[in-house]
Amino acid sequence: MLRQRTTRLSVTAAIAGLTFLLASCGTSADTPGTAAPNPGGRVAVSHPGGISVLDGTTLELVKSFDSEEFTRLNPAGDGRHVVVTTTAGFQLLDMNEPKLTDLVVDAKAAGHVVRHAGNTVFFDDGTGTTTIMKSADLATSEEKLPASQHYQAPSPHHGVSIVLEDGTLLTTVGDKSSRSGATALEAHEDHWHATAESKDCPGIHGEGTAADEAVVFGCENGALLFHNGSFEKFTAPDQYGRMGNAYVSESSPIVVGDYSNNPDAEGYLLNAVVLLDTEKHSYQAVTLPANVQYTWRDIARGPGDLAYILSTDGSIHVLDPKDGSIVNEFPVIKAWEGPAEWQDAHPAIVVNGNTAYVTEPATSTIHTVDLTTGKVGTSKTLDAVPNEIALNVAAH
């Protein structure tokens, strides 16, 4: 196990249960979207006990690092780092050098990492603390983390936060036993002021930002939209209709969400999606063809603002979010079965521009796919079974 240096926050001011911190020192990838193209970038792949950094074009190994048995990977949104979730917190992997740095955003239980509007936002499930850093400052960090702003939720929970262009902080509301909704907060010198709130989103999970900065959260009975300063609830057609992840493009008003109407199925393999049009204020659940099944790792937005679904039949199925139709199919890997647990290695897809990176754990292989033609480009066999995958995408 990698030994890491941790850093402590230095300033805390608490008023009415809200905390605002400024510190000179100090991730489920549940905010997938269209990555800002980063030509010549690199790819990070986690595997049991380690992480490998690959060349984004040739897929040749650049360098590998020892880490923990299971780690999660998230782009930092600064064009340089990938965030590795460890038992110590959020550790920065410098993809350019490359180097697994000693820079760690402390967390009792590192959870979501969200990148938007020039900010990289970390959520600690163990304490309910949101840590906000400027992505540009993170990109130039060397010996210490940049100054950060913090919000302390009233109770720890599995949550997520995002900062909008105008500085509004959107963050989930919940405790260790349940989650109920989200709140919008405005920063003041020594506290945060709530400007809007919704408690109508049981089991709130994940977030995604569509065109015109329309932010969507998933609920166990639909979805919750925040746009132009207020919340709006969309109700699922089923009594239990869970959306847990939002797949977005910031140039499209339509959010594609995963969808499950079976509370006992754990959602490991799904056969339906949500289409939420934030412009038309419409919501529908669409059942996919019987051969299209996927997990939370298997949808990405790409060229044409289409959704690309890596299915258990081994193909990428191209979905048009306007009507939910499948408009193309690209065979890529062999057929596979869903995982017994969500952490188990199973195929995943991430997108950089027109290129998709697809993992195939059964053969310890990673492939590139041209999403404009459907052709498989480079395939590379790795020395270990790939699990999570992330890119050092450019800042939004």
Side-chain angles (χ1 to χ4, degrees), residues 376-392:
V376 176
T378 304
S379 296
K380 183 69 176 179
T381 302
L382 309 177
D383 291 333
V385 176
N387 196 336
E388 297 227 340
I389 181 171
L391 311 170
N392 57 327

Side-chain angles (χ1 to χ4, degrees), residues 13-22 119 121 128-132 148-154 161-164 166-171 183-195:
I15 292 183
L18 301 179
T19 302
F20 181 80
L21 299 177
L22 289 176
N119 295 291
V121 183
T129 302
T130 294
T131 301
I132 304 162
S148 55
Q149 186 181 15
H150 290 234
Y151 166 72
Q152 179 64 56
S161 297
I162 179 174
V163 176
L164 306 185
D166 65 359
T168 297
L169 171 65
L170 293 179
T171 188
T183 185
L185 301 164
E186 183 181 81
H188 292 267
E189 289 185 0
D190 57 357
H191 68 286
W192 292 86
H193 173 69
T195 59

Side-chain angles (χ1 to χ4, degrees), residues 180-381:
S180 59
T183 185
L185 301 164
E186 183 181 81
H188 292 267
E189 289 185 0
D190 57 357
H191 68 286
W192 292 86
H193 173 69
T195 59
E197 186 175 50
S198 172
K199 296 182 179 179
D200 194 16
C201 188
I204 189 168
H205 187 274
E207 63 75 40
T209 305
D212 196 30
E213 213 171 30
V215 182
V216 170
F217 298 88
C219 315
E220 289 180 350
N221 60 358
L224 186 66
L225 169 68
F226 182 86
H227 193 213
N228 295 329
S230 61
F231 287 99
E232 179 182 358
K233 174 64 182 291
F234 295 87
T235 302
D238 300 290
Q239 183 174 0
Y240 179 88
R242 181 181 188 269
M243 175 179 140
N245 299 278
Y247 307 91
V248 297
S249 166
E250 293 191 355
S251 58
S252 169
I254 304 175
V255 174
V256 177
D258 56 9
Y259 186 77
S260 172
N261 61 3
N262 185 349
D264 300 319
E266 298 294 339
Y268 294 144
L269 275 183
L270 303 173
N271 183 238
V273 294
V274 167
L275 302 179
L276 196 164
D277 192 321
T278 62
E279 223 172 47
K280 297 179 179 178
H281 297 264
S282 64
Y283 171 106
Q284 61 175 321
V286 176
T287 300
L288 299 171
N291 62 317
V292 182
Q293 298 184 78
Y294 68 94
T295 78
W296 57 275
R297 285 183 180 167
D298 301 316
I299 301 183
R301 299 295 286 272
D305 289 332
L306 300 172
Y308 296 81
I309 305 173
L310 179 61
S311 171
T312 54
D313 65 0
S315 292
I316 294 174
H317 296 263
V318 185
L319 179 141
D320 187 344
K322 292 185 179 67
D323 58 11
S325 62
I326 300 296
V327 297
N328 217 332
E329 178 182 348
F330 307 143
V332 180
I333 61 177
K334 293 181 179 179
W336 52 279
E337 296 182 355
E341 301 291 342
W342 69 265
Q343 303 97 327
D344 293 346
H346 61 281
I349 181 172
V350 295
V351 173
N352 184 15
N354 293 332
T355 301
Y357 295 87
V358 173
T359 62
E360 188 172 10
T363 59
S364 297
T365 306
I366 181 171
H367 311 270
T368 64
V369 182
D370 184 336
L371 294 179
T372 64
T373 65
K375 293 183 178 179
V376 176
T378 304
S379 296
K380 183 69 176 179
T381 302

